[in-house]
Amino acid sequence: MAEKRVEREIERQKPDIQEHIKGVKFHELAPGVTTHPLVRSGRPCIEGTGIMVTTIAGLQKYRNMDAQQIADHLRLELFMVQDALNYYASHIDYIETELQLDDINHEQLAESHYGDFSREILSRRESTARDT
């Protein structure tokens, strides 16, 4: 007679992300600008936030906002935005390339079937708004 196999319940534990993060240090690229491989894929961010320098640069370049307007818009201190803009000015080629890659990614998403789905939802919202 064959024995019935009894499987023990395996205790599943969630990985301790904090332990992993503590092993990897933030790297200061410039005053007020840091990078970390687990924050925004290692892209330069304003220290203590997840706001990327490319976000600040994009607001200045595409929306013609000055530092104070950006600080108000993103609820940051003015010095934080100025640090990001200083980093942008000293690394303009790198940040411009990042902005171009972001534009390409957005265009590809809009052309994908996910972009079609987003347009479909927006058109439904517009038609619903007109009906009411």
Side-chain angles (χ1 to χ4, degrees):
M1 180 183 223
E3 277 186 44
K4 186 176 180 181
R5 186 174 172 192
V6 178
E7 292 187 31
R8 292 182 304 171
E9 187 174 320
I10 298 172
E11 184 178 326
R12 299 193 186 274
Q13 296 179 350
K14 293 182 180 178
D16 186 2
I17 298 298
Q18 292 300 322
E19 184 177 309
H20 182 68
I21 290 174
K22 289 175 187 171
V24 182
K25 303 290 183 208
F26 280 86
H27 179 69
E28 186 172 343
L29 299 174
V33 177
T34 60
T35 186
H36 188 284
L38 299 175
V39 178
R40 303 289 184 186
S41 302
R43 296 169 102 182
C45 292
I46 295 174
E47 185 175 13
T49 73
I51 299 173
M52 296 181 295
V53 173
T54 53
T55 302
I56 304 297
L59 289 172
Q60 183 187 45
K61 182 177 180 177
Y62 299 123
R63 297 222 178 145
N64 297 319
M65 291 181 163
D66 63 18
Q68 185 61 56
Q69 290 172 323
I70 294 170
D72 293 341
H73 180 69
L74 297 176
R75 297 182 181 153
L76 295 171
E77 297 293 330
L78 181 60
F79 75 89
M80 298 168 106
V81 173
Q82 288 171 333
D83 287 343
L85 291 173
N86 289 337
Y87 182 81
Y88 171 47
S90 61
H91 297 86
I92 198 160
D93 290 338
Y94 172 74
I95 301 299
E96 288 290 327
T97 303
E98 290 285 327
L99 287 171
Q100 290 172 358
L101 289 173
D102 285 346
D103 288 343
I104 291 169
N105 288 336
H106 287 103
E107 288 172 10
Q108 289 176 343
L109 180 63
E111 292 171 0
S112 71
H113 87 74
Y114 295 111
D116 293 339
F117 183 68
S118 298
R119 281 191 287 274
E120 181 181 329
I121 290 173
L122 290 174
S123 66
R124 285 186 200 166
R125 286 184 185 167
E126 289 171 359
S127 66
T128 304
R130 283 188 299 246
D131 293 343
T132 56

